Amino acid sequence: MTSNGWKEVTLGEISLDGKGSYGIAASAVEYSDDLYTYLRITDINDDGTLNKTDLKSVDDEKAEKYLLQPNDIVFARTGNSTGRSYFYDGSDGELVYAGFLIKFSLDPSKVNPKFMRYYTLSNEYKGWVSSYISGSTRGNINAKTYANMKISLPPRKQQDYLVKVLSSLDEKIKTNNQINEKLEEMAQALFKHWFVDFEFPNENGKPYKSSGGEMVESELGMIPKGWEIVNLEDLTSKFTTGLNPRKNFVLGKGENYYVTIKNMGNNQIYLDDKCDKIDNDAIKKINKRSDLKKGDLLFSGIGTIGRVYLIDETPENWNISESIFTLRPSKLISSEILYLLLLSEQLQGYAQQLASGSVQKGVRMRDLKAYKLAIPSNCLIEKFTELIRPLIRKNKYLEKENKRLKAIRDTLLPRLLSGEIRVPLDNETLVEQS
């Protein structure tokens, strides 16, 4: 132990059984409330949180033996995500961890378990991971190596203080995410009520269809009188993709970001170290093809099909790959309605059904353009946009707030880990030793 109370330990030494355990070797199945949720490497975000966009279940008689318990932490042991971690506190429900993850059960008498959640976000930890996977085509760190990982452990009071400060930021981020989930649910429910169920308010404020509103026959079935059938292409003034780097420029240099589907989530664009970089000449070439503007919609068309992002600020230092479509709404529709249309169960199902490809499935632009739907008069479009816009603006505001909170967390983390910012002792005020 050093004079300031810091000591060097290994991960095995602060774990209950001194070693790591590999997860269950079972195939994922479609998600079901009747089965355990399956935690795979792809379900873990870079910041150690659970990615809930495509959760699967596991159907295996041995699954219960691999249930995570509070204070467990798992590590990705192979692939491009080697080193990615997830700390389990029970708040995400019951999870069974998969075979490409290694679990350590942390001993609360030896470490504040949540301290390890933050340690694995540190540059010290990331540097340790890089030292084991640099130069290899596919990263791999086994359980023994993880168990021998050395950690500079602060005194317990400093651990507790670090966890208290950073957890308060994470709790706010989590609350914002929960609010955004509700906002998304509300927005999509309203869209379905108006544009699928045709229960928009009539002139008396009553639900149109169930109040006897006149319906007429169309190629899509019965639709409200006055509505017309159009293609998705009719609702856009621009419908294109980014550029393929193999034919147009070289990846890996410059200060601009080249966004592919791996950097895109629903209503999320991740501009981070995982994102490819391009120079100014390359981004100018893409801009000629896909000059992204505020109000444009992005739609992932290959691999993970159907992710949607509404651009609320004209990008300055990023553009997209050829696997992402750009849709700019025409005067017939608003950005907000086009956003909800692209997220709708009907269009998502259509895109998935038409996806093809032997190596990686994708939906063709011409097929997406041909999607048919019924739209109302401009008056109803305007009313719905006025109704829905505050929800989407609130969603965007909370996303920006979360980015600020994460930046604060990431700035405080190394200072708390090093003791530059330390816990007040003996009634002293917060000390910054710099």
Side-chain angles (χ1 to χ4, degrees):
M1 181 178 290
T2 62
S3 59
N4 61 7
W6 260 247
K7 61 181 179 180
E8 188 176 87
V9 299
T10 66
L11 178 58
E13 289 171 344
I14 58 175
S15 299
L16 289 172
D17 52 7
K19 61 181 181 180
S21 302
Y22 293 93
I24 187 172
S27 299
V29 299
E30 287 303 311
Y31 181 83
S32 170
D33 290 333
D34 298 325
L35 299 170
Y36 290 121
T37 302
Y38 204 22
L39 179 67
R40 306 159 298 164
I41 292 177
T42 53
D43 300 317
I44 303 173
N45 295 317
D46 285 339
D47 64 354
T49 56
L50 182 66
N51 183 347
K52 299 180 180 180
T53 57
D54 189 32
L55 291 177
K56 302 294 184 181
S57 292
V58 57
D59 189 5
D60 191 289
E61 59 183 12
K62 297 179 182 178
E64 189 173 1
K65 297 180 180 179
Y66 296 87
L67 279 170
L68 292 178
Q69 302 298 324
N71 298 331
D72 285 348
I73 188 168
V74 296
F75 298 89
R77 65 180 177 89
T78 188
N80 294 331
S81 301
T82 299
R84 191 177 293 178
S85 70
Y86 169 76
F87 176 79
Y88 182 73
D89 61 7
S91 63
D92 288 324
E94 293 183 316
L95 298 175
V96 170
Y97 66 107
F100 289 112
L101 295 171
I102 301 172
K103 180 201 74 173
F104 286 83
S105 298
L106 300 170
D107 187 343
S109 69
K110 297 178 180 179
V111 66
N112 182 319
K114 204 166 187 178
F115 170 83
M116 282 304 302
R117 178 242 184 307
Y118 294 111
Y119 180 79
T120 59
L121 298 180
S122 69
N123 289 331
E124 182 179 343
Y125 171 74
K126 292 175 183 177
W128 178 84
V129 171
S130 295
S131 71
Y132 278 91
I133 64 176
S134 59
S136 62
T137 56
R138 186 175 179 84
N140 197 315
I141 303 179
N142 61 31
K144 184 178 180 180
T145 302
Y146 271 118
N148 291 329
M149 177 178 65
K150 293 180 180 180
I151 302 160
S152 181
L153 195 65
R156 184 57 179 253
K157 286 187 177 180
Q158 181 69 15
Q159 295 174 42
D160 295 344
Y161 184 62
L162 177 149
V163 168
K164 179 182 178 181
V165 171
L166 300 184
S167 290
S168 65
L169 295 170
D170 275 344
E171 284 301 314
K172 176 57 176 170
I173 292 170
K174 187 174 183 178
T175 298
N176 286 348
N177 286 335
Q178 291 170 342
I179 293 172
N180 270 350
E181 286 177 11
K182 295 297 182 184
L183 290 172
E184 284 281 354
E185 289 174 6
M186 290 171 59
Q188 292 182 38
L190 284 168
F191 178 84
K192 181 177 182 296
H193 193 65
W194 281 47
F195 293 92
V196 179
D197 300 333
F198 306 128
E199 296 290 21
F200 54 90
N202 63 16
E203 62 274 10
N204 298 317
K206 304 283 185 162
Y208 181 86
K209 186 177 179 180
S210 58
S211 296
E214 186 176 354
M215 306 288 288
V216 296
E217 189 70 48
S218 78
E219 60 183 296
L220 297 180
M222 301 299 290
I223 63 173
K225 184 179 181 180
W227 287 42
E228 62 176 319
I229 305 297
V230 299
N231 295 327
L232 181 59
E233 184 178 17
D234 298 327
L235 301 179
T236 63
S237 60
K238 187 180 184 70
F239 203 133
T240 187
T241 66
L243 291 179
N244 186 327
R246 292 188 298 273
K247 300 177 181 178
N248 298 279
F249 50 86
V250 178
L251 291 175
K253 62 179 182 178
E255 299 301 320
N256 305 298
Y257 293 100
Y258 179 70
V259 174
T260 64
I261 291 176
K262 70 180 180 181
N263 314 115
M264 182 181 178
N266 267 338
N267 216 15
Q268 293 276 358
I269 292 293
Y270 303 104
L271 302 178
D272 53 28
D273 293 339
K274 301 289 184 181
C275 202
D276 289 317
K277 294 294 188 70
I278 54 177
D279 60 22
N280 290 333
D281 289 338
I283 204 166
K284 286 178 183 177
K285 286 184 179 180
I286 309 178
N287 286 345
K288 290 180 180 179
R289 172 83 167 268
S290 184
D291 57 327
L292 304 179
K293 299 183 182 300
K294 179 178 180 180
D296 287 352
L297 281 300
L298 303 182
F299 186 91
S300 60
I302 298 176
T304 305
I305 299 168
R307 291 177 179 173
V308 183
Y309 180 72
L310 171 58
I311 299 176
D312 60 337
E313 292 181 350
T314 299
E316 295 182 359
N317 68 330
W318 63 273
N319 212 305
I320 57 171
S321 73
E322 79 283 4
S323 60
I324 300 174
F325 298 119
T326 302
L327 294 84
R328 183 167 299 160
S330 69
K331 295 180 180 180
L332 295 176
I333 200 168
S334 65
S335 294
E336 291 82 0
I337 295 180
L338 186 55
Y339 168 69
L340 293 172
L341 167 62
L342 293 174
L343 281 175
S344 69
E345 182 179 340
Q346 291 72 26
L347 188 140
Q348 290 278 326
Y350 171 86
Q352 295 290 343
Q353 185 178 7
L354 291 178
S356 60
S358 57
V359 178
Q360 194 173 39
K361 285 192 173 183
V363 59
R364 293 176 298 187
M365 182 188 294
R366 68 183 186 189
D367 288 334
L368 200 59
K369 286 181 175 181
Y371 177 76
K372 292 183 180 294
L373 69 151
I375 64 165
S377 65
N378 286 338
C379 180
L380 205 57
I381 293 286
E382 291 170 3
K383 286 183 179 179
F384 185 79
T385 300
E386 289 175 6
L387 175 67
I388 213 72
R389 183 167 284 160
L391 299 181
I392 293 179
R393 283 181 175 174
K394 178 67 172 178
N395 182 292
K396 287 289 187 180
Y397 170 80
L398 292 177
E399 288 292 348
K400 290 179 181 178
E401 183 176 61
N402 277 355
K403 288 181 180 179
R404 291 193 294 268
L405 292 170
K406 289 177 182 178
I408 293 171
R409 182 193 66 194
D410 295 344
T411 300
L412 289 175
L413 175 58
R415 302 178 70 187
L416 287 162
L417 277 174
S418 67
E420 181 184 345
I421 299 177
R422 63 180 175 86
V423 59
L425 300 174
D426 300 325
N427 298 319
E428 69 180 357
T429 57
L430 180 69
V431 175
E432 289 194 33
Q433 301 172 342
S434 63

